[in-house]
Amino acid sequence: MNKLPNNHSARKGETTTNQYGSGQAVTKGNGENRVGHHLPLHLPVLSHKRQTGIAFLNFIQHFASVIKTIFSELPQLQKQLNNCQQDLKQAKNWHADLPVPLLDRCWLKLEVLKVAELLCRLPVDASAHAPELVRFQELRNQGHNPDLAERICWDEFTAEACHLALRRYWEAQETPKYLWNLDSYLNLLRCYRSNVEQGNLSMPLLILPRGSDRQLLQCHWL
């Protein structure tokens, strides 16, 4: 598969990501790129991650407060939500007709979907799960270097198929066409099913992004 173009070459201390998503630290020195040992650079990164985590937690708390306010001030939405929770209470086991409320914040409307209807109403981006890319990651996890893993994939799928899968993946990252991806969908199913089987009545509330936002679908557990 094609290597990264020159305009993606790393500056000093940057981490580059190869075409399959595996990162490698690269530094520039004496006009050459080489794998670098940059332990001191980890300190500000960790600090930034800590700050980002705190900001994210604050956002989640604020977001939960906003959602609670929306439902408390709009009786019709609260009534729909109560009906969903009542259906969940009556469920004796996990099944595909369990409710998944979908909130449109722009129009303040609540659409109640069934688990079985999720993929039809909200298609997912599955480009990262293309067999060619999954196989490459399996080979990397087995200890093969990127070049050997790439050659094996070419032998098994052909170079053309690998290039196509890779192009589709990057196009999905650069110009998203879907509101969520396959991993998010499967995670919702796992959590919801686990909750039901354990007697936990927590229910997912899916929230559509505003029209002008480039955000993904958000999931808030009630």
Side-chain angles (χ1 to χ4, degrees):
M1 299 184 187
N2 295 334
K3 302 299 181 182
L4 287 174
N6 292 332
N7 60 353
H8 285 269
S9 59
R11 295 186 296 273
K12 184 175 182 178
E14 275 193 339
T15 298
T16 63
T17 302
N18 70 17
Q19 54 191 342
Y20 300 97
S22 59
Q24 184 180 51
V26 177
T27 61
K28 278 189 175 181
N30 299 326
E32 296 180 354
N33 288 347
R34 66 181 188 277
V35 176
H37 300 282
H38 51 277
L39 292 180
L41 295 182
H42 285 189
L43 295 178
V45 171
L46 289 176
S47 176
H48 174 70
K49 287 184 177 180
R50 189 178 298 112
Q51 293 175 5
T52 302
I54 293 173
F56 180 72
L57 289 176
N58 290 337
F59 167 77
I60 291 298
Q61 292 173 352
H62 171 72
F63 187 73
S65 176
V66 170
I67 294 302
K68 183 177 180 180
T69 300
I70 288 177
F71 282 99
S72 64
E73 295 182 355
L74 295 170
Q76 180 58 33
L77 294 187
Q78 185 63 58
K79 181 179 179 181
Q80 287 181 275
L81 197 60
N82 290 341
N83 290 338
C84 290
Q85 292 173 330
Q86 188 62 34
D87 291 341
L88 183 57
K89 289 179 181 179
Q90 295 175 354
K92 297 181 179 180
N93 49 49
W94 167 260
H95 57 83
D97 289 334
L98 289 177
V100 180
L102 175 66
L103 176 64
D104 186 335
R105 287 179 291 167
C106 294
W107 296 98
L108 294 178
K109 291 183 178 180
L110 190 70
E111 179 182 357
V112 179
L113 303 173
K114 297 178 180 179
V115 170
E117 298 172 336
L118 280 174
L119 284 181
C120 292
R121 177 67 176 82
L122 301 165
V124 300
D125 170 24
S127 60
H129 291 264
E132 298 85 353
L133 303 186
V134 171
R135 177 59 173 155
F136 178 85
Q137 291 297 343
E138 289 177 350
L139 293 169
R140 293 289 290 122
N141 292 337
Q142 293 171 9
H144 296 291
N145 65 54
D147 290 337
L148 177 58
E150 181 181 70
R151 288 197 297 271
I152 294 175
C153 287
W154 285 10
D155 290 339
E156 293 182 358
F157 299 100
T158 75
E160 182 180 1
C162 292
H163 290 154
L164 181 59
L166 187 60
R167 185 171 75 246
R168 286 174 175 169
Y169 170 77
W170 284 115
E171 286 176 350
Q173 305 308 303
E174 295 171 358
T175 56
K177 298 179 181 179
Y178 304 101
L179 294 176
W180 59 343
N181 56 40
L182 182 59
D183 287 329
S184 298
Y185 166 73
L186 294 177
N187 185 59
L188 182 148
L189 293 185
R190 280 192 295 266
C191 291
Y192 202 0
R193 180 168 186 165
S194 177
N195 287 344
V196 171
E197 292 177 345
Q198 295 177 16
N200 182 348
L201 298 180
S202 182
M203 176 178 61
L205 170 67
L206 298 179
I207 303 165
L208 292 170
R210 299 185 187 278
S212 59
D213 292 345
R214 293 193 62 184
Q215 298 177 348
L216 297 177
L217 191 70
Q218 298 180 35
C219 179
H220 178 68
W221 290 87
L222 302 175

